[in-house]
């Protein structure tokens, strides 16, 4: 299968099904069209839950600025990773994300591949993951994309997104 072209500002998010546990601890499956349609959202991706840069740097910026982001009209703040939904729930609980950030599982990298942002970390024992990014989505269309190169964390933090809103 040929790799999808890398998503860019102006593109509609591709169809994918993501999973999460709701506030009653029920597993939910949601299509990207349902999650992002008719809403202003911030979506950021990390290569892996519980990994050092993701846990100590990237996710905390969004936890710290979640209220400020919502004050700018954002209805959904979501974090996605190529991890299973149990891992994403545990990571969210460990960092206090409940009620602030929706922790989405892209367990089979379906969404990462559809966006063209898959990252092969097989040599590090991690398989296929997602590149790190942050994006603003309005009614399912990417209006801003800050996509990192390699393992970098320079343009995809909450501060960069707050400044773009």
């Amino acid at each position: 299968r040929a790799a999808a072209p890398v998503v860019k500002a102006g593109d509609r998010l591709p169809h994918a099904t993501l999973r999460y546990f709701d506030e009653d601890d029920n597993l939910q499956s949601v299509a990207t069209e349902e999650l992002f349609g008719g809403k202003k959202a911030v979506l950021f991706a990390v290569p892996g839950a519980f990994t050092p840069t993701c846990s100590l740097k990237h996710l905390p910026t969004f936890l710290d600025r979640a209220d400020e982001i919502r004050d700018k009209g954002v209805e959904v703040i979501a974090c996605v990773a190529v991890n299973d939904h149990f891992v994403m729930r545990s990571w969210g609980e460990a960092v206090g994300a409940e009620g602030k950030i929706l922790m989405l599982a892209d367990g089979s990298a379906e969404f990462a591949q559809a966006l063209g942002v898959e990252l092969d970390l097989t040599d590090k024992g991690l398989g296929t993951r997602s590149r790190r990014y942050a994006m603003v989505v309005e009614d399912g269309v990417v209006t801003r994309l800050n996509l990192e190169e390699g393992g970098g964390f320079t343009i995809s933090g909450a501060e960069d997104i707050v400044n773009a809103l």
Side-chain angles (χ1 to χ4, degrees), residues 4-8 12-14 43 45 80 109-118 130 133 135 142 147:
V6 176
V7 67
K8 62 188 179 313
R12 180 162 293 284
L13 286 179
L43 174 65
V80 64
E110 171 194 5
F111 187 56
Q113 290 169 351
L115 288 172
V117 297
E118 67 271 27
S130 173
Y133 63 81
M135 65 172 67
V142 178
L147 181 62

Side-chain angles (χ1 to χ4, degrees), residues 38-60:
K39 299 177 191 112
K40 186 172 186 177
V42 168
L43 174 65
F44 64 100
V46 297
F50 292 106
T51 57
T53 301
C54 306
S55 291
L56 300 175
K57 295 180 182 174
H58 200 181
L59 179 57

